[in-house]
Amino acid sequence: AAQVGALLHEVRGEARQRRGDLAGARHDLQAALSAATNSTDRARILARLAMLASGSDDIVRASHLAEFAVAEAGEHAPTRARALEVASVLDMNLGRTHRSGERAAEALSLYERLGDSGGMARVVDARAMAEFLGGDVRQGSSALNRAADLFADSGDLVRTITPRSTAGHALVFAGHAAEGLRLIDAALDLARTLGHAEGQAYALWHRAEALTELGRVDEAAADSAEALSIATRIGHRGWTATAWRATGLAARRRGDLDEALRAFGNSLALADNLGLFASWAAARIALVLVEYGKPGEAKESADRALSEGPPLGHYEARWAAAEVAAALGDTGARSLARLAVEFMAEGGVAQGRDRLLTLAGQ
C-alpha cells in the first residue's frame, strides 16, 4: 500500500508541475519520498525534487538533493543514469565544469547501454546548455537547436520548449535578434498549446529581450509583464528574476532609468544562489548607475557581477567594468574594453560590442 501511495503522489506531483503548481508538486514529491520503500524509488524521486528545486527554489539545495539521488541510486543502471544526468546539470550551473562533464559522460554511456533514447537526448541537451553557459554563444545556439529537434522527433514536446527558446536567446546575444525571435516564438506557441506555465514564462522572458533588441519596446514591456505574472503565480523564483531583468532592459531602452534600476534591483534580490542571474542583474545595475553619474556606487555592482556565475554572465560584467573604469577616469579603462571585445569575439557575442569599441578607442 505504501508503494502504491508513493507512486500516486509521484504521478500527481509530475502533473502538478506540468500545470505550474510548483508548491503542490513539491508537496506530492516529498510525500512520495516519505512513503518510498526502497533506494531505487528514493533516488528517482530525489532526482525529480532536485530538478524541481533548480531555478524555482534554490540551486544549492537542488544540488544537495541530486547528490542524495546519486548515493541512493547505487549501481542500478537506469536510476544511476538519471541521477547522474540531473547532478551534471546542477554541477554545470554551479560552475563545476569538470565534474559536470564527467557525470554527463557516464550518464550518456549508461543510457546508450540501456538503449534509452530519451535519456540520451536529455544529456545532449544538457551538454548544449553547458556550451551556452560556458560562453560559446555561437556553438551553443546550434547545439541547443539540435537538442530541441531530438526532443521533437521523439515526441517529447514539453522538453522541446527550453532548448528551442534558449537557442533563440543565444542568437539575440549574437546580434541576430530577428532570427532568434522566430525560434522563441515557436517555443512560446508550443508552451501555450501544451498549457505549460513554466515554458511560457521562460519563452516570454526571451521574447521580451529579443523585442527590446529590435526596438519594439512596448511589446517587450507587455511580454515581460506577462512573464512576471506567470512566474510569480507559479512561484518560480528563477523565472521571476529573469522577468524583472527583461522589464529592466525594456525600461532602459525607452530611457526610463528609474524603472530600469528598480527592475534590476528586484532581479538581484531574487538571485541568491542563482549565479548567472545575479551576475546579469549586478552588471545591469552598474551600467545604469554609470548613466546616473554614480560610477563610485557602480563599481561595487560591477565587481560583484564579475565574481558570480558562469562565463555567459561575464560578457555584461566585463562591459560594466569597462564603463565604470572609464567613468572613474581609470587609465586601464581602454585595456578593459579591449579585453571585453576579445572575450565577446571568442564567444560570438555582439551585444554591447560597438560601445566597447568606442571605450577602447577603436
Side-chain angles (χ1 to χ4, degrees):
Q3 190 172 3
V4 173
L7 181 59
L8 289 173
H9 276 296
E10 191 176 351
V11 171
R12 190 170 68 175
E14 183 175 359
R16 282 177 160 174
Q17 184 178 0
R18 292 282 178 94
R19 199 175 61 197
D21 180 5
L22 302 187
R26 187 177 300 109
H27 181 270
D28 267 323
L29 289 173
Q30 288 169 341
L33 184 63
S34 297
T37 57
N38 62 68
S39 58
T40 301
D41 289 342
R42 287 180 60 80
R44 185 183 65 252
I45 297 164
L46 282 163
R48 285 192 169 179
L49 277 168
M51 287 307 293
L52 182 64
S54 174
S56 68
D57 183 13
D58 185 327
I59 200 166
V60 173
R61 177 172 175 272
S63 179
H64 292 158
L65 290 168
E67 295 305 319
F68 295 151
V70 172
E72 290 275 7
E75 297 305 314
H76 185 260
T79 312
R80 181 171 178 78
R82 177 58 176 158
L84 286 168
E85 173 201 330
V86 171
S88 77
V89 171
L90 293 164
D91 282 340
M92 170 186 70
N93 280 279
L94 288 167
R96 302 164 184 162
T97 307
H98 182 69
R99 188 167 76 165
S100 174
E102 287 184 335
R103 286 175 154 178
E106 184 181 349
L108 183 59
S109 177
L110 287 168
Y111 282 135
E112 287 173 343
R113 197 174 80 203
L114 293 164
D116 185 339
S117 60
M120 292 164 63
R122 291 194 303 272
V123 175
V124 169
D125 178 32
R127 299 323 297 160
M129 185 65 81
E131 281 191 274
F132 180 50
L133 292 177
D136 193 338
V137 170
R138 191 183 298 107
Q139 293 301 317
S141 178
S142 298
L144 285 160
N145 216 21
R146 287 195 297 272
D149 288 341
L150 282 175
F151 287 132
D153 290 344
S154 67
D156 194 346
L157 297 181
V158 169
R159 290 188 184 276
T160 304
I161 298 166
T162 298
R164 187 78 76 204
S165 189
T166 311
H169 194 215
L171 288 171
V172 175
F173 282 119
H176 304 295
E179 186 180 348
L181 183 60
R182 287 193 289 273
L183 294 179
I184 296 165
D185 279 343
L188 180 57
D189 288 347
L190 180 57
R192 282 178 167 155
T193 298
L194 296 174
H196 193 263
E198 279 188 69
Q200 290 176 62
Y202 188 74
L204 283 163
W205 151 42
H206 289 161
R207 189 171 195 273
E209 290 206 24
L211 291 169
T212 295
E213 281 297 303
L214 293 169
R216 294 160 60 180
V217 181
D218 289 343
E219 293 174 74
D223 277 357
S224 60
E226 187 180 354
L228 183 60
S229 175
I230 294 171
T232 303
R233 173 174 58 80
I234 66 176
H236 198 297
R237 184 162 64 92
W239 303 160
T240 305
T242 54
W244 278 119
R245 166 182 163 83
T247 300
L249 291 174
R252 169 62 197 87
R253 183 63 182 260
R254 68 171 176 266
D256 188 343
L257 296 185
D258 289 345
E259 173 62 14
L261 189 61
R262 183 182 76 87
F264 294 135
N266 288 340
S267 183
L268 185 61
L270 290 162
D272 285 346
N273 292 329
L274 298 173
L276 174 61
F277 304 157
S279 179
W280 273 341
R284 289 291 172 172
I285 287 170
L287 288 168
V288 173
L289 287 173
V290 167
E291 289 192 78
Y292 268 123
K294 300 178 179 179
E297 292 182 33
K299 189 177 187 310
E300 182 179 349
S301 292
D303 289 345
R304 178 174 179 179
L306 281 167
S307 72
E308 294 201 44
L312 179 65
H314 295 170
Y315 293 116
E316 292 181 15
R318 287 172 183 257
W319 176 12
E323 291 280 9
V324 169
L328 289 171
D330 189 327
T331 56
R334 286 192 173 189
S335 178
L336 284 175
R338 282 195 295 272
L339 287 172
V341 170
E342 291 172 10
F343 189 60
M344 287 180 168
E346 288 176 10
V349 172
Q351 280 186 326
R353 184 175 179 274
D354 289 345
R355 173 58 185 163
L356 283 164
L357 286 171
T358 299
L359 290 174
Q362 297 178 6

